[in-house]
């Protein structure tokens, strides 16, 4: 019975700390990626909605569900600014935003 209670509490904690795409992630994309990936869809990647993000771009999937370290989007936002492939091109995201995206993935 104690195991069930512990699992119940862990599930509640996970739900409380769950990342919401519309509230938490889309604003990051809107504020940091919009010049290239909202209207223009550079590389075929459109970050204007969850569906578009999950559709990926010319290079394939941007997100590997449940595996942020294999997700192209995560890889690009964690490259050094000196890399030609670092995103966003205007400068790196704050670590808190990167962590939130990783948690969402």
């Amino acid at each position: 019975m104690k195991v069930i209670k512990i699992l119940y509490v862990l599930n509640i904690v996970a739900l409380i700390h769950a990342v919401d795409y519309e509230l938490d992630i889309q604003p990051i994309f809107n504020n940091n990626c919009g010049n290239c990936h909202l209207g223009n869809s550079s590389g075929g990647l459109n970050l204007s909605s969850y569906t578009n993000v999950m559709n990926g771009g010319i290079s394939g999937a941007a997100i590997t569900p449940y595996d942020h370290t294999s997700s192209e989007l995560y890889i690009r936002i964690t490259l050094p600014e000196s890399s030609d492939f670092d995103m966003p091109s205007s400068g790196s995201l704050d670590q808190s935003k990167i962590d939130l995206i990783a948690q969402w993935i």
Side-chain angles (χ1 to χ4, degrees), residues 27-95:
I28 295 172
F29 294 157
N30 291 347
N31 294 326
N32 298 278
C33 311
N35 290 339
C36 299
H37 293 289
L38 292 181
N40 299 333
S41 300
S42 181
L45 180 61
N46 185 329
L47 300 177
S48 65
S49 72
Y50 175 84
T51 300
N52 290 337
V53 171
M54 297 310 288
N55 284 337
I58 292 171
S59 300
I63 304 295
T64 303
Y66 308 106
D67 186 1
H68 68 276
T69 60
S70 295
S71 295
E72 187 65 25
L73 186 140
Y74 180 81
I75 292 167
R76 295 286 186 103
I77 65 172
T78 56
L79 288 171
E81 283 188 33
S82 59
S83 170
D84 291 338
F85 301 106
D86 174 52
M87 294 293 153
S89 59
S90 60
S92 296
L93 294 173
D94 296 337
Q95 188 61 49

Side-chain angles (χ1 to χ4, degrees), residues 1-6:
M1 191 61 152
K2 286 184 180 184
V3 172
I4 292 173
K5 287 181 183 179
I6 291 171

